[in-house]
Amino acid sequence: MVTPRFIITGILLAGAAMGFACMGSYGRLVTSPVTLDQYQQRALPADLHYYYCGRAGLPDAVVGLAGTYVFNDRLWFRIDTMEAVYEKIRNLSDLHPDATTMRVADILDPGGEWIGLWFSYYHHTPVRVDPRTGVLDIFSPYDPNEDEGVMVWR
């Protein structure tokens, strides 16, 4: 006989398994003092593909990607020269309500492998890799609802 306890346990285990499966496709940002030093010394890796999101003169974030994955750049714009990369980072928007310092981080894939660099006054954003297609999504950290106290990305 199937008891309610057995059914509830089964539902909880199935939910946990689905949650772990979904978590497996998300990467993360890890603060990198080495990358900050490279930026300050104007020695960022030139072999990365650099992009920004936000306004051209006041971007929300800059990323440098190794090309390990196919990047879904629908919200991002390519930066063609290293001089422009430094200019975009220098002009990053610090209008975020909690902005006190620029976050310089390594972008890691779901397995913890390095896939790029992150520069922004926004300290968090989802990084997702589709395990079937290998497509990388890095979401814009800007949330227009944030000023209203509604946090979408956190």
Side-chain angles (χ1 to χ4, degrees), residues 8-23:
I8 291 172
T9 301
I11 291 171
L12 289 175
L13 289 174
M18 286 176 31
F20 287 124
C22 290
M23 285 175 51

Side-chain angles (χ1 to χ4, degrees), residues 59-72:
D60 295 318
V62 172
V63 295
L65 302 173
T68 309
Y69 295 100
V70 176
F71 181 47
N72 181 358

